[in-house]
Amino acid sequence: MSVLFENACAVLMDEKNTVLEGAFVAVEGDKISYVGTDRPQGTFDQVIDAAGKVLMPGLVNAHTHVPMTLMRGYGDGNNLQDWLTKFIFPVEDKWDCRAIHSATALGLAEMIMSGTTCLADMYMFCDEICQEVAAAGINANIARGVTAFDPAADFSTWTSCVETRELVDKWHGYNNGQIRIDACLHGEYTSFSAPQLWDSVAQYAKEKGLGMHIHISETKTEHEECVSRWGMTPVQVMEKHGLWDVRAIAAHCVWTTQDDWAIMAEHGVSAIHNPCSNLKLGSGVAPVIGMRKAGINVALGTDGVSSNNTTDLFEDMKIAAMLQNGVEHDPLALLPSDALRMATVNGAKALGRNTGRIAVGCDADLILVDFDHINLMPRHDVISNLVYAAHGCDVSMNMCRGKVIYKDGEFLTIDIDRVKHEVKEYALPLLFG
Amino acid sequence: MSVLFENACAVLMDEKNTVLEGAFVAVEGDKISYVGTDRPQGTFDQVIDAAGKVLMPGLVNAHTHVPMTLMRGYGDGNNLQDWLTKFIFPVEDKWDCRAIHSATALGLAEMIMSGTTCLADMYMFCDEICQEVAAAGINANIARGVTAFDPAADFSTWTSCVETRELVDKWHGYNNGQIRIDACLHGEYTSFSAPQLWDSVAQYAKEKGLGMHIHISETKTEHEECVSRWGMTPVQVMEKHGLWDVRAIAAHCVWTTQDDWAIMAEHGVSAIHNPCSNLKLGSGVAPVIGMRKAGINVALGTDGVSSNNTTDLFEDMKIAAMLQNGVEHDPLALLPSDALRMATVNGAKALGRNTGRIAVGCDADLILVDFDHINLMPRHDVISNLVYAAHGCDVSMNMCRGKVIYKDGEFLTIDIDRVKHEVKEYALPLLFG
């Protein structure tokens, strides 16, 4: 299958943040095969006229928990402890495979329609999540969250570890890399009883060549309790246990220190900034400027829908851009182009993927944003409009790995009416009935 | 003209934040005439089936500069001084009446499609702005910004003062209150050369029974320079000159002090919080929690598009709600219902209007939000979904003063194709060509 975009205003996300007017972008199979202002040779199975639209790399949502879409707004207005123990945990106990399927499909649909082409998920029931990802056509790094409150937990028999190994065997590398499995610790604060697992998980990741996904220093309490337990911050503890010896994504990093940043930069650990979640839950404002200056790759995530409460990454991108300016009292603290890089090319780097840019050889993960919408007029600065003025609903097409999966409000890989019906008739009564 | 909404989930914005399922809401002329769960007697010119949708008061954007829509993103990425002096001011010098007309219509269209039914504007060319507001059918408090760098400026001859008086004579109270004219000072920092104008403007507002619209303590520099000039903060200076003796809206208030809050609370001055603008421009985070505790009515604004860069008030509402939680490290600092009140009933109070609620006798300023959209599923908590998960593009209908002016993507009072054409062919070349 080959596709040609013509008449595009293409935002390449190269090092110069080039915006190429009158661009032709060709796709061959699942890769971008041509970028330029001259029409490429040859014929194409499909020609897409991008006049009036901006063609850009799809967004990378580098930290989320897709099935939690069904908990949107559930228990909002309670303190964190009550919210978790009285609302979220009791519901999570009720999941079954069928409910996970429909919840995941609904969550993926929301991401796809708002321009995400790649995500990093951490949750449970990951085989079911992989099945839905495979069917939807979106790219994903999937991680089974490993927690352990039992000091005897052992990597060879501990359920979440066993599931991780099964996932790797079944799904890692699926469809030429559409799905990858990351190794995972949920966090220090949910596994400190069994630190032997940390070594095992790190060792396993190295053996299998996997990435690592972990929550780090999201809240002040989590950070400080770790320091009082070990005399070290979460970043430092995990360094000692080898979790940073592979490509790793550290979600949140709100309370990380300068010393932590040096460790993260040295090991190439990416920080995943989740501004909506951190603000809404009262966790704080992550030190994005400091981390960037320390040389850390900072990418962007929405976190789960129960703590955001959407997965429209355009919104997190805008808030990320504005928030640092506001708290630093500097209108140039984080430029629109910086925020756009966080949501594209930095996310790709964090997830170990060849996406997030429009360049020959990259995965053909592309979206069209309709600049004929009133909120995007006039167009003095394409990147500024994308970051500060665009919403997810301005996305008119989503292509993942060369395949159009969403176009003009229609899902081409998800039977959205069936999903809505399943959510309403089965999953919601199961979880909340 | 009478209209009946049936099968509505109605968010009343009464003191209990009631969400009324299976509601009937009737409109007679420009007022709400019935709210209840029984079908009202009589026949109606139009019946609107609101099944699957949420009926709520239209949003009140309590501080903006509509024509600046044409400067969306213009000069972004420059420091504040360069942005103003090299980009914004030179363009503003080029305005003519025709360009203002099309810029205003474009800006109003963006607000209408995203659910705003009432706004407070401060700019110049206000007669043209009033003409567009009148035609669009939206409600507006319009203020001619008074600035003066000439110590001899006199209220009887100074252009912006003369224009204010002409506006009041021509437009104040138009169409049973659709348009109101507010008296206005742009700010202390743009008129300190001619403090005699402050007394005259205050006196004129009292005589005519007008409200007052003014920028207050937006930036640290503005605030501190005022203190060094007068030994008083902007709020204190304006109190001395009588500007708080009428209903008043003070935009921004980022650097206001506890002493200022006591003055504002005593005089009933409303603070207009513009979170996106304050963050993006590096002004800071307004002390919303402190002002609310001090008894100040806090409402919400987008500010102009050049400093936001949209007028989708759903976005400012979400950011307002999350931001205070984040900087206070308290997930309950500002509840979703608090943020929704800021965008509706508090805005109505700030602007001296009988809107922002669904109650008999209120202005029929109503919007429908389509909860069949994926980002609003499931619906555990209607208000949480509206504040944290809804976008302006979920608005499917906008009714101002009993008249539907927007429905399912169509503008019923604005010829949007003509406006786009005028913007492209006339206004943009004039200002930026």
Side-chain angles (χ1 to χ4, degrees), chain B residues 273-319:
Chain B
H273 179 41
N274 300 268
C276 284
S277 169
N278 296 159
L279 290 175
K280 183 193 163 208
L281 299 179
S283 307
V285 177
V288 169
I289 304 303
M291 291 194 287
R292 285 168 56 91
K293 282 188 184 152
I296 296 171
N297 178 54
V298 182
L300 212 54
T302 59
D303 206 354
V305 162
S306 55
S307 47
N308 183 321
N309 300 354
T310 75
T311 52
D312 179 349
L313 201 65
F314 277 94
E315 201 164 74
D316 281 84
M317 185 162 63
K318 174 171 182 174
I319 292 167

Short mmCIF file of all heavy atoms in Angstrom, two decimals, chain B residues 273-319:
data_model
loop_
_atom_site.label_atom_id
_atom_site.label_comp_id
_atom_site.label_asym_id
_atom_site.label_seq_id
_atom_site.Cartn_x
_atom_site.Cartn_y
_atom_site.Cartn_z
N HIS B 273 -10.14 36.15 36.64
CA HIS B 273 -8.98 35.27 36.55
C HIS B 273 -8.81 34.82 35.09
O HIS B 273 -9.77 34.36 34.48
CB HIS B 273 -9.23 34.06 37.46
CG HIS B 273 -8.16 33.03 37.48
ND1 HIS B 273 -6.82 33.33 37.49
CD2 HIS B 273 -8.23 31.67 37.53
CE1 HIS B 273 -6.12 32.21 37.53
NE2 HIS B 273 -6.94 31.19 37.55
N ASN B 274 -7.61 35.02 34.56
CA ASN B 274 -7.30 34.65 33.17
C ASN B 274 -6.12 33.67 33.17
O ASN B 274 -4.99 34.05 32.85
CB ASN B 274 -6.93 35.90 32.36
CG ASN B 274 -8.02 36.93 32.32
OD1 ASN B 274 -8.85 36.94 31.42
ND2 ASN B 274 -8.05 37.80 33.32
N PRO B 275 -6.36 32.43 33.54
CA PRO B 275 -5.21 31.54 33.81
C PRO B 275 -4.31 31.29 32.62
O PRO B 275 -3.09 31.29 32.75
CB PRO B 275 -5.88 30.25 34.32
CG PRO B 275 -7.29 30.32 33.86
CD PRO B 275 -7.64 31.77 33.82
N CYS B 276 -4.89 31.08 31.43
CA CYS B 276 -4.04 30.79 30.27
C CYS B 276 -3.12 31.97 29.96
O CYS B 276 -1.92 31.80 29.78
CB CYS B 276 -4.89 30.48 29.03
SG CYS B 276 -5.62 28.84 29.04
N SER B 277 -3.70 33.14 29.90
CA SER B 277 -2.92 34.33 29.59
C SER B 277 -1.83 34.56 30.62
O SER B 277 -0.67 34.82 30.28
CB SER B 277 -3.86 35.54 29.52
OG SER B 277 -3.12 36.74 29.46
N ASN B 278 -2.17 34.46 31.88
CA ASN B 278 -1.19 34.71 32.95
C ASN B 278 -0.05 33.71 32.91
O ASN B 278 1.11 34.05 33.18
CB ASN B 278 -1.87 34.65 34.33
CG ASN B 278 -2.91 35.73 34.55
OD1 ASN B 278 -3.77 35.59 35.40
ND2 ASN B 278 -2.87 36.80 33.77
N LEU B 279 -0.36 32.45 32.57
CA LEU B 279 0.69 31.44 32.47
C LEU B 279 1.54 31.70 31.23
O LEU B 279 2.76 31.80 31.31
CB LEU B 279 0.08 30.04 32.42
CG LEU B 279 -0.56 29.51 33.71
CD1 LEU B 279 -1.22 28.16 33.46
CD2 LEU B 279 0.46 29.40 34.84
N LYS B 280 0.87 31.80 30.10
CA LYS B 280 1.62 31.90 28.83
C LYS B 280 2.58 33.10 28.84
O LYS B 280 3.72 32.98 28.39
CB LYS B 280 0.64 32.03 27.67
CG LYS B 280 1.34 32.07 26.33
CD LYS B 280 0.45 32.51 25.19
CE LYS B 280 1.33 32.92 24.02
NZ LYS B 280 0.73 33.92 23.16
N LEU B 281 2.10 34.25 29.32
CA LEU B 281 2.93 35.46 29.29
C LEU B 281 3.90 35.54 30.45
O LEU B 281 4.62 36.53 30.59
CB LEU B 281 2.03 36.69 29.26
CG LEU B 281 1.10 36.81 28.04
CD1 LEU B 281 0.24 38.06 28.13
CD2 LEU B 281 1.91 36.82 26.73
N GLY B 282 3.91 34.50 31.30
CA GLY B 282 4.85 34.50 32.42
C GLY B 282 4.47 35.45 33.54
O GLY B 282 5.32 35.81 34.37
N SER B 283 3.20 35.89 33.57
CA SER B 283 2.79 36.85 34.60
C SER B 283 2.74 36.21 35.98
O SER B 283 2.99 36.86 36.99
CB SER B 283 1.42 37.44 34.26
OG SER B 283 1.42 37.98 32.96
N GLY B 284 2.38 34.93 36.02
CA GLY B 284 2.31 34.23 37.30
C GLY B 284 0.98 33.53 37.50
O GLY B 284 0.20 33.37 36.56
N VAL B 285 0.74 33.10 38.72
CA VAL B 285 -0.50 32.39 39.06
C VAL B 285 -1.29 33.25 40.04
O VAL B 285 -0.80 33.57 41.13
CB VAL B 285 -0.19 31.01 39.70
CG1 VAL B 285 -1.48 30.31 40.11
CG2 VAL B 285 0.61 30.14 38.73
N ALA B 286 -2.48 33.65 39.65
CA ALA B 286 -3.29 34.53 40.50
C ALA B 286 -3.69 33.80 41.79
O ALA B 286 -3.95 32.60 41.78
CB ALA B 286 -4.53 34.99 39.74
N PRO B 287 -3.77 34.53 42.90
CA PRO B 287 -4.08 33.93 44.20
C PRO B 287 -5.58 33.69 44.35
O PRO B 287 -6.24 34.30 45.20
CB PRO B 287 -3.56 34.97 45.19
CG PRO B 287 -3.72 36.28 44.47
CD PRO B 287 -3.47 35.98 43.01
N VAL B 288 -6.10 32.80 43.53
CA VAL B 288 -7.55 32.59 43.47
C VAL B 288 -8.11 32.08 44.80
O VAL B 288 -9.16 32.54 45.25
CB VAL B 288 -7.89 31.60 42.32
CG1 VAL B 288 -9.34 31.15 42.38
CG2 VAL B 288 -7.59 32.25 40.97
N ILE B 289 -7.38 31.17 45.42
CA ILE B 289 -7.89 30.60 46.68
C ILE B 289 -7.95 31.69 47.75
O ILE B 289 -8.96 31.83 48.46
CB ILE B 289 -6.98 29.43 47.14
CG1 ILE B 289 -6.89 28.36 46.04
CG2 ILE B 289 -7.49 28.85 48.45
CD1 ILE B 289 -8.20 27.79 45.59
N GLY B 290 -6.90 32.48 47.85
CA GLY B 290 -6.88 33.57 48.82
C GLY B 290 -7.98 34.59 48.57
O GLY B 290 -8.67 35.03 49.49
N MET B 291 -8.17 34.95 47.31
CA MET B 291 -9.21 35.94 47.00
C MET B 291 -10.60 35.40 47.33
O MET B 291 -11.44 36.13 47.87
CB MET B 291 -9.13 36.33 45.51
CG MET B 291 -7.87 37.13 45.17
SD MET B 291 -7.90 37.95 43.55
CE MET B 291 -7.70 36.55 42.46
N ARG B 292 -10.82 34.13 47.03
CA ARG B 292 -12.13 33.54 47.33
C ARG B 292 -12.38 33.50 48.84
O ARG B 292 -13.47 33.84 49.31
CB ARG B 292 -12.23 32.13 46.74
CG ARG B 292 -12.43 32.11 45.24
CD ARG B 292 -12.24 30.71 44.65
NE ARG B 292 -13.11 29.74 45.27
CZ ARG B 292 -14.34 29.41 44.83
NH1 ARG B 292 -14.84 30.02 43.77
NH2 ARG B 292 -15.04 28.49 45.46
N LYS B 293 -11.33 33.13 49.59
CA LYS B 293 -11.48 33.09 51.05
C LYS B 293 -11.73 34.49 51.61
O LYS B 293 -12.39 34.64 52.64
CB LYS B 293 -10.21 32.50 51.68
CG LYS B 293 -10.16 30.99 51.59
CD LYS B 293 -9.01 30.40 52.40
CE LYS B 293 -8.93 28.89 52.19
NZ LYS B 293 -7.57 28.36 52.36
N ALA B 294 -11.18 35.50 50.95
CA ALA B 294 -11.40 36.87 51.40
C ALA B 294 -12.79 37.39 51.03
O ALA B 294 -13.14 38.53 51.36
CB ALA B 294 -10.32 37.78 50.79
N GLY B 295 -13.56 36.57 50.35
CA GLY B 295 -14.93 36.96 50.04
C GLY B 295 -15.11 37.65 48.70
O GLY B 295 -16.16 38.24 48.42
N ILE B 296 -14.08 37.58 47.86
CA ILE B 296 -14.16 38.22 46.54
C ILE B 296 -14.87 37.30 45.55
O ILE B 296 -14.64 36.09 45.55
CB ILE B 296 -12.74 38.57 46.03
CG1 ILE B 296 -12.09 39.60 46.96
CG2 ILE B 296 -12.78 39.07 44.60
CD1 ILE B 296 -10.63 39.85 46.66
N ASN B 297 -15.71 37.89 44.72
CA ASN B 297 -16.33 37.15 43.61
C ASN B 297 -15.28 36.98 42.52
O ASN B 297 -14.85 37.97 41.92
CB ASN B 297 -17.54 37.92 43.08
CG ASN B 297 -18.21 37.24 41.90
OD1 ASN B 297 -18.57 36.07 41.98
ND2 ASN B 297 -18.35 37.97 40.80
N VAL B 298 -14.87 35.74 42.26
CA VAL B 298 -13.84 35.48 41.22
C VAL B 298 -14.52 34.86 40.00
O VAL B 298 -15.18 33.83 40.11
CB VAL B 298 -12.73 34.55 41.73
CG1 VAL B 298 -11.67 34.34 40.65
CG2 VAL B 298 -12.09 35.10 43.00
N ALA B 299 -14.38 35.51 38.87
CA ALA B 299 -14.93 35.00 37.60
C ALA B 299 -13.78 34.68 36.66
O ALA B 299 -12.61 34.75 37.05
CB ALA B 299 -15.88 36.03 37.00
N LEU B 300 -14.11 34.33 35.43
CA LEU B 300 -13.12 33.76 34.53
C LEU B 300 -13.10 34.50 33.18
O LEU B 300 -14.15 34.89 32.67
CB LEU B 300 -13.50 32.30 34.29
CG LEU B 300 -12.40 31.28 34.04
CD1 LEU B 300 -11.35 31.31 35.14
CD2 LEU B 300 -13.01 29.89 33.95
N GLY B 301 -11.92 34.69 32.63
CA GLY B 301 -11.80 35.29 31.30
C GLY B 301 -10.73 34.58 30.49
O GLY B 301 -9.87 33.89 31.06
N THR B 302 -10.79 34.77 29.18
CA THR B 302 -9.76 34.19 28.32
C THR B 302 -8.64 35.18 28.04
O THR B 302 -7.58 34.79 27.59
CB THR B 302 -10.32 33.74 26.96
OG1 THR B 302 -10.90 34.88 26.32
CG2 THR B 302 -11.37 32.65 27.13
N ASP B 303 -8.91 36.47 28.25
CA ASP B 303 -8.06 37.54 27.75
C ASP B 303 -8.10 37.48 26.21
O ASP B 303 -8.84 36.69 25.63
CB ASP B 303 -6.63 37.42 28.31
CG ASP B 303 -5.90 38.77 28.35
OD1 ASP B 303 -6.46 39.77 27.86
OD2 ASP B 303 -4.79 38.82 28.90
N GLY B 304 -7.34 38.34 25.56
CA GLY B 304 -7.35 38.36 24.09
C GLY B 304 -6.67 37.14 23.50
O GLY B 304 -5.85 36.50 24.17
N VAL B 305 -6.98 36.87 22.27
CA VAL B 305 -6.45 35.67 21.61
C VAL B 305 -4.93 35.74 21.43
O VAL B 305 -4.26 34.71 21.41
CB VAL B 305 -7.16 35.46 20.26
CG1 VAL B 305 -6.38 34.53 19.35
CG2 VAL B 305 -8.56 34.90 20.50
N SER B 306 -4.38 36.94 21.37
CA SER B 306 -2.93 37.05 21.20
C SER B 306 -2.18 36.59 22.44
O SER B 306 -0.98 36.34 22.38
CB SER B 306 -2.53 38.48 20.85
OG SER B 306 -3.03 39.36 21.83
N SER B 307 -2.86 36.45 23.55
CA SER B 307 -2.17 36.00 24.77
C SER B 307 -2.81 34.75 25.38
O SER B 307 -2.73 34.55 26.58
CB SER B 307 -2.12 37.13 25.80
OG SER B 307 -3.35 37.76 25.97
N ASN B 308 -3.39 33.87 24.52
CA ASN B 308 -4.06 32.70 25.14
C ASN B 308 -3.76 31.38 24.44
O ASN B 308 -3.28 30.48 25.14
CB ASN B 308 -5.58 32.94 25.21
CG ASN B 308 -6.29 31.79 25.91
OD1 ASN B 308 -5.97 30.63 25.76
ND2 ASN B 308 -7.29 32.12 26.71
N ASN B 309 -4.00 31.05 23.25
CA ASN B 309 -4.42 31.75 22.06
C ASN B 309 -5.77 31.29 21.51
O ASN B 309 -5.93 31.21 20.30
CB ASN B 309 -3.38 31.57 20.97
CG ASN B 309 -2.01 32.12 21.35
OD1 ASN B 309 -1.79 32.74 22.38
ND2 ASN B 309 -1.04 31.90 20.50
N THR B 310 -6.70 30.98 22.40
CA THR B 310 -8.05 30.67 21.94
C THR B 310 -9.02 31.35 22.90
O THR B 310 -8.63 31.82 23.97
CB THR B 310 -8.38 29.16 21.99
OG1 THR B 310 -8.60 28.78 23.36
CG2 THR B 310 -7.30 28.31 21.39
N THR B 311 -10.29 31.36 22.54
CA THR B 311 -11.30 31.85 23.48
C THR B 311 -12.25 30.72 23.86
O THR B 311 -13.41 30.96 24.15
CB THR B 311 -12.09 33.02 22.89
OG1 THR B 311 -12.58 32.64 21.60
CG2 THR B 311 -11.24 34.26 22.77
N ASP B 312 -11.74 29.49 23.86
CA ASP B 312 -12.53 28.35 24.32
C ASP B 312 -12.50 28.36 25.85
O ASP B 312 -11.55 27.91 26.47
CB ASP B 312 -11.92 27.05 23.78
CG ASP B 312 -12.69 25.82 24.23
OD1 ASP B 312 -13.55 25.94 25.13
OD2 ASP B 312 -12.42 24.74 23.70
N LEU B 313 -13.56 28.88 26.46
CA LEU B 313 -13.56 29.07 27.92
C LEU B 313 -13.59 27.74 28.67
O LEU B 313 -13.21 27.69 29.84
CB LEU B 313 -14.74 29.96 28.34
CG LEU B 313 -14.61 30.65 29.70
CD1 LEU B 313 -13.47 31.66 29.72
CD2 LEU B 313 -15.90 31.34 30.10
N PHE B 314 -13.99 26.66 28.00
CA PHE B 314 -13.90 25.34 28.65
C PHE B 314 -12.45 25.05 29.04
O PHE B 314 -12.17 24.41 30.04
CB PHE B 314 -14.44 24.23 27.74
CG PHE B 314 -15.94 24.09 27.79
CD1 PHE B 314 -16.75 24.74 26.88
CD2 PHE B 314 -16.54 23.32 28.78
CE1 PHE B 314 -18.13 24.62 26.94
CE2 PHE B 314 -17.92 23.19 28.84
CZ PHE B 314 -18.72 23.83 27.92
N GLU B 315 -11.53 25.51 28.20
CA GLU B 315 -10.12 25.26 28.46
C GLU B 315 -9.64 26.06 29.67
O GLU B 315 -8.98 25.51 30.56
CB GLU B 315 -9.32 25.64 27.21
CG GLU B 315 -7.98 25.02 27.13
CD GLU B 315 -7.43 25.12 25.71
OE1 GLU B 315 -7.03 26.24 25.30
OE2 GLU B 315 -7.39 24.11 25.01
N ASP B 316 -10.00 27.33 29.70
CA ASP B 316 -9.61 28.14 30.87
C ASP B 316 -10.26 27.60 32.15
O ASP B 316 -9.67 27.67 33.23
CB ASP B 316 -9.99 29.61 30.66
CG ASP B 316 -8.99 30.34 29.77
OD1 ASP B 316 -9.13 30.24 28.54
OD2 ASP B 316 -8.06 30.96 30.30
N MET B 317 -11.47 27.09 32.01
CA MET B 317 -12.16 26.54 33.19
C MET B 317 -11.41 25.33 33.73
O MET B 317 -11.18 25.22 34.94
CB MET B 317 -13.59 26.16 32.79
CG MET B 317 -14.45 25.69 33.92
SD MET B 317 -16.21 25.78 33.51
CE MET B 317 -16.35 24.64 32.13
N LYS B 318 -11.00 24.43 32.83
CA LYS B 318 -10.25 23.25 33.27
C LYS B 318 -8.92 23.67 33.91
O LYS B 318 -8.54 23.17 34.96
CB LYS B 318 -9.99 22.31 32.08
CG LYS B 318 -9.08 21.13 32.44
CD LYS B 318 -8.99 20.08 31.35
CE LYS B 318 -8.11 18.90 31.79
NZ LYS B 318 -8.11 17.79 30.84
N ILE B 319 -8.23 24.59 33.24
CA ILE B 319 -6.92 24.99 33.76
C ILE B 319 -7.07 25.71 35.09
O ILE B 319 -6.29 25.49 36.02
CB ILE B 319 -6.19 25.84 32.70
CG1 ILE B 319 -5.82 24.94 31.53
CG2 ILE B 319 -4.96 26.53 33.29
CD1 ILE B 319 -5.38 25.65 30.30
#
